[in-house]
Amino acid sequence: MGRVIRKGMIVTAGGLIQGLGMGLFLFPHNIPSGGAGGIAVLLNYFFYLDMGFALWAVNFSMLVLAIKYLGNRCTIWTMFAITVTSLSIYFCQKTIDIPFQNVWIDLITGSLFLGAGVGLLLRQGVSNGGVGVLALIISSMRGVLPGRPLFWINGFIFLLTASIIKWEIIVQALLSQWISTKIIDVVFKIRFYHGYPFAYRKK
C-alpha cells in the first residue's frame, strides 16, 4: 500500500508539473507540447475546443494502444496521469494570469516544466499519454532512453501542425522538444536512494 501511495504522489506531481508547463507557458503561444499537444492545438484551432479537454481526448484515445502493449496497470496509471495533467491545464488557464509574457522565455520555462513532469512519469513506468505511449514501448523493447524516440515521433506531428497554422511553430516546437527531452533523460537517469537524499549513499 505504501508503495502505491508513493507512486500515486509522484505520478500526481508529474501530471501537475507538465500541466503547469503547458497551460501557463506553451499553449498560450500555440506551441505544441508534443504529438498529442500538436493535435490538441489543431482541435482548438478548427473546433475551438478547450485545450485541456482536447488534450485529454487525444490522450485517452491512445490508451487503446497502451492496453495492448503496456498492460492494464500501466493504462490505469496513464489515465490517472493524463486526467491530472488536463485538470492542471484547465485550472492554470482559468485561474492564473501572467501579466508579462515573452514567447522565448515562456518556451524555455514551459519546456523545463514539461520535461521534468514527463520524466517523473516515465520513471514510474507511466506514459504521459499520446505518443508518449509509443516512446515508452520503443524504450522498453529496444532498451534505449525514451527521449530520442519521443523527439522523432513528435517532430513529424509538428510539421503537420506548422503547415496548417504557421511555419514559425515548427522552430518553436522543435526547440521546446529538444529542451524537454534533454530534461526527460536527466530526470530518468537520476538515482534516488531510499532513506537518503539524492546521491548520498550510506557506506
Side-chain angles (χ1 to χ4, degrees):
M1 180 61 70
R3 191 172 298 178
V4 173
I5 294 174
R6 178 179 178 275
K7 181 171 183 173
M9 292 174 63
I10 295 175
V11 171
T12 299
L16 289 174
I17 292 170
Q18 73 164 338
L20 184 66
M22 294 185 219
L24 288 184
F25 302 106
L26 299 180
F27 285 168
H29 303 287
N30 284 325
I31 301 174
S33 59
I39 298 173
V41 168
L42 291 176
L43 290 174
N44 175 263
Y45 180 79
F46 285 116
F47 305 107
Y48 305 102
L49 291 180
D50 178 81
M51 290 294 290
F53 175 76
L55 186 67
W56 182 87
V58 173
N59 284 328
F60 193 83
S61 66
M62 290 292 293
L63 291 180
V64 175
L65 185 63
I67 293 173
K68 181 177 180 180
Y69 288 96
L70 302 179
N72 293 333
R73 181 175 298 179
C74 181
T75 301
I76 292 172
W77 280 111
T78 300
M79 291 173 63
F80 176 71
I82 65 174
T83 300
V84 171
T85 298
S86 297
L87 290 174
S88 176
I89 293 170
Y90 177 81
F91 284 109
C92 281
Q93 293 186 326
K94 296 296 183 181
T95 61
I96 302 176
D97 182 34
I98 300 179
F100 172 77
Q101 288 188 309
N102 176 278
V103 61
W104 299 108
I105 295 176
D106 289 352
L107 185 152
I108 293 172
T109 306
S111 301
L112 293 174
F113 275 98
L114 176 64
V118 175
L120 286 175
L121 295 178
L122 294 178
R123 277 184 65 92
Q124 297 299 311
V126 177
S127 168
N128 63 315
V131 297
V133 173
L134 299 179
L136 194 58
I137 292 172
I138 294 172
S139 174
S140 300
M141 292 178 62
R142 300 182 63 88
V144 298
L145 292 172
R148 185 176 296 177
L150 189 63
F151 178 85
W152 289 110
I153 296 170
N154 287 337
F156 171 77
I157 299 176
F158 293 157
L159 283 172
L160 177 63
T161 305
S163 67
I164 294 174
I165 299 180
K166 60 179 182 179
W167 282 106
E168 291 87 343
I169 288 179
I170 189 66
V171 176
Q172 297 167 345
L174 288 176
L175 179 58
S176 175
Q177 279 299 290
W178 183 81
I179 295 172
S180 62
T181 51
K182 291 297 181 182
I183 300 300
I184 288 171
D185 286 344
V186 169
V187 174
F188 197 82
K189 291 187 293 184
I190 292 176
R191 292 186 178 275
F192 296 96
Y193 298 96
H194 295 295
Y196 302 97
F198 300 102
Y200 177 83
R201 186 185 300 187
K202 186 176 180 180
K203 296 183 180 180

